[in-house]
Amino acid sequence: MVRLGTVCWLALLGSSLAFGRIDREEISDYLGVPMMTHGRNVSYDIPDPDLPEISQWLIGNPNRINLGRIGLKYKGDTLAASQITEPRQELDLWTGVIKSIFKVDGSLVKVTTRGDFETDAVTFDIESKLVRSGDLKVELDFPYPPIHTTKYKYEVFTGVYDFPSNHTTSIVPERLPGSAHIYHEMQETSYFVNLGWPLTSPLKLSRDEPEGSDKLNAHRYTLASAWSSSTISFTARFSPEKEHADLPLLVKARNLIGWEKYWSEGGFVDLTSSSNPNATELQRRIVQSQYHVQVNSASKGQTPQESGLMNNGWYGKFHMEMVVWHAAHWATWGRQKHFDAIFPEVYETLLPSSLARAKAMGWEGARWPKMTELITGRSSPGGINGLLLWQQPHPMYLAELAYQSKPTRETLKRWDRVLSATADYMASYAWENGTTGKYDLGPPSYGVTENTPPAETRNLAYEIAYWRYGLDVAREWKKKLHERVPEKWTTVAENLALPPQVDGLYAVYDGLNSSWWEDPKLTSDPRSLIMMQGILPNTPAVDPEVALRTADKVWDIWGDARIRGWGRPVLAINSARIGNPERAIYHLTAYDYWIFDDAGFAVRGGAGGTPPPFMPGNAGFLYAVAYMAAGWRGSQSDTPGFPNDGSWVVRHEGLLKAP
């Protein structure tokens, strides 16, 4: 099917679709997997080998789904790509309008697509003499979520058409002219596609197959011109309720206003006066990334999944450890309203389940999940999910971003409950080592790079530094509110073990010797060590001189070809922080290794079948650019991350310093 525009506003799917019925196991049977943790058994959210179906089911459910597919039909059949000639598509970034022009059997077709700022709707204007002749029509089709399997690490969930009997669709009667409705029901999930069009260009909706059909096109519909017209113009609004879709002209009007407001507010970086040959491509990436984060990440109440709204990779779930990389840029680019639309609401929503999780595991406070969704708040039981640590102090980092933008008592009160619950957990989770007299973290634990042996991993360097930072922020937060600082927070913060060192350099975790630098499993991704003096603000846990030497060593052994995902942004930030702007700009302009496609999507790279795009790449890139242009708390000069060699002329406005 030739898509006029991907309809990717997503709903949450009820929790029985991925496997349908499970005959031999009950969801209530899953209680986690116990692991010995400092003298007691603690149940972690990891796959239970005795309950493989339930474990996989819990990973996959609930999940987001693709709501529908809208395309073209030519002479009664789905228009195939092979039937299209001379295609050209342009996106106007200022207005958010996509214009597609192509030919079918020599006849010109023009399609204009707009997304709505205020509703889950999309509008189309289709112009062609093929519309007038009745040969070209609109096709709507409704997939069923694929059956989740363990065959692929990451699945691309665009929906399948192999199970027509598992769901139902129907046309809902409508007496009001200029509108129609399709109802789609899939077990616990149901919604309407509300269609609207101008009375001056009437359309008619019909179903291709009768209700109850078991054919692959059982849920396919046709929208066609009701009279002799060369234009089809309509709005498709997806909603849990039956309602009237706004007319295309109204959506167009507010779409123009919304995009102009977006581009006119907030920050911007202008490199157009630079003579450096890398400046033009860097400018392209800056502008296109701002567009993509608005479309994929300007959400309410949660961050997107790592593949944004393009597809349903990672089972359609978002990752709590990635929320900083998804959303911190909103604050430093002066678009705080988008930041505030997510935080702290996502934590408030997940707070009850996180408090219950910590209590069930024998700790105080709130233990935040990893890969999750908002219905259950469950941490999907993946092999790494239940043991990952670095998402726990994120609320402190994000709260500091919020306070920097609006340093008021209102901000302090808004975040206080979340920070207190987080700090309570962090202080409770750390355990006092009777031998050293210090508080340790783990085992079992996984760190940022997820490549250490969890049963042996204690005192991960970045995580323990982040723990100290987080507890310090929580303590200062209470002082600003003129409230008592819990004694346990202070005891643990000031007696945490320091990040481990070997031969004057930081090591990934405690117990390693200098030979770890020759261990390919660990050196294939040592980004956690550069995060200690990069994304992490200054903290007493980190010695700047040791961190500087470690960063240089990491760069010596971490080759360009192995860096992927958000590795480049964090390398750029680290390089700027340690006073090496030449290396910082290198990381942002290593175009042979860090690929942005022609649409401006950052490519994650590496193995693993990861579905594109990779939104933390674009969002992390923007965070790094703001870091390098506006600086960070304590930086003195302007544009500290850009070389002062005369080839870079960096003008910026509306940016805020990072923490």
Side-chain angles (χ1 to χ4, degrees), residues 17-18 191 210 289 362 451 634:
L17 278 173
Y191 59 91
S289 290
N451 60 355

Side-chain angles (χ1 to χ4, degrees), residues 403 406-416 477 481:
Y403 189 74
K406 190 178 180 181
T408 64
R409 183 172 178 82
E410 177 188 358
T411 302
L412 293 171
K413 293 297 292 184
R414 189 180 183 206
W415 280 86
D416 182 54
W477 209 262
L481 284 168

Side-chain angles (χ1 to χ4, degrees), residues 283-428:
Q283 186 75 72
R284 177 186 81 92
R285 296 183 177 198
I286 290 171
V287 173
Q288 289 184 323
S289 290
Q290 289 182 83
Y291 173 84
H292 289 312
V293 294
Q294 162 66 5
V295 171
N296 289 277
S297 304
S299 53
K300 185 178 186 331
Q302 62 180 292
T303 57
Q305 59 211 45
E306 293 190 18
S307 47
L309 298 180
M310 293 288 286
N311 61 60
N312 279 333
W314 284 277
Y315 302 96
K317 298 184 179 183
F318 68 97
H319 292 195
M320 290 298 287
E321 86 277 19
M322 295 305 296
V323 296
V324 170
W325 287 111
H326 275 295
H329 69 91
W330 291 127
T332 56
W333 281 79
R335 295 190 171 107
Q336 191 67 27
K337 67 180 181 181
H338 295 302
F339 183 95
D340 291 340
I342 301 170
F343 306 113
E345 182 179 336
V346 64
Y347 286 106
E348 292 168 340
T349 302
L350 293 169
L351 186 57
S353 58
S354 298
L355 289 167
R357 179 182 302 108
K359 183 177 181 180
M361 299 176 80
W363 290 302
E364 299 172 9
R367 179 181 170 99
W368 304 112
K370 198 267 190 196
M371 188 175 84
T372 190
E373 33 69 33
L374 297 182
I375 292 179
T376 67
R378 181 186 297 117
S379 184
S380 299
I384 291 168
N385 297 355
L387 303 177
L388 201 66
L389 291 184
W390 69 292
Q391 74 270 31
Q392 302 304 331
H394 279 353
M396 285 73 167
Y397 189 91
L398 294 162
E400 285 287 276
L401 281 168
Y403 189 74
Q404 180 172 276
S405 175
K406 190 178 180 181
T408 64
R409 183 172 178 82
E410 177 188 358
T411 302
L412 293 171
K413 293 297 292 184
R414 189 180 183 206
W415 280 86
D416 182 54
R417 187 176 178 221
V418 167
L419 294 198
S420 294
T422 304
D424 284 343
Y425 168 74
M426 291 168 60
S428 176

